[in-house]
Amino acid sequence: MHVSELLRDIEIHRSRMIELASTNSFSHHQVLEASIKLDSLIIRYHTLTLKNEA
């Protein structure tokens, strides 16, 4: 996956999580699942960009 695609996916999942959190509690299972997915994408992004810097 390219960095630009990953950044797009991060933004999509960030927006989705915010939308879910605005209508549910922060501990709602959908919000938590969205947060976990967003975290994994961010970690992937950092891993990818660190490899490209080396």
Side-chain angles (χ1 to χ4, degrees), residues 7-26:
L7 287 172
R8 185 195 72 232
D9 285 351
I10 288 170
E11 183 57 31
I12 290 168
H13 282 83
R14 185 189 68 81
S15 296
R16 173 84 173 130
M17 186 184 71
I18 291 170
E19 178 183 321
L20 288 167
S22 71
T23 58
N24 299 291
S25 71
F26 287 112

Side-chain angles (χ1 to χ4, degrees), residues 1-3 6 43-52:
M1 179 177 282
H2 296 317
V3 173
L6 201 46
I43 290 168
R44 211 161 156 196
Y45 171 79
H46 283 289
T47 302
L48 185 61
T49 57
L50 287 175
K51 285 181 182 177
N52 288 340

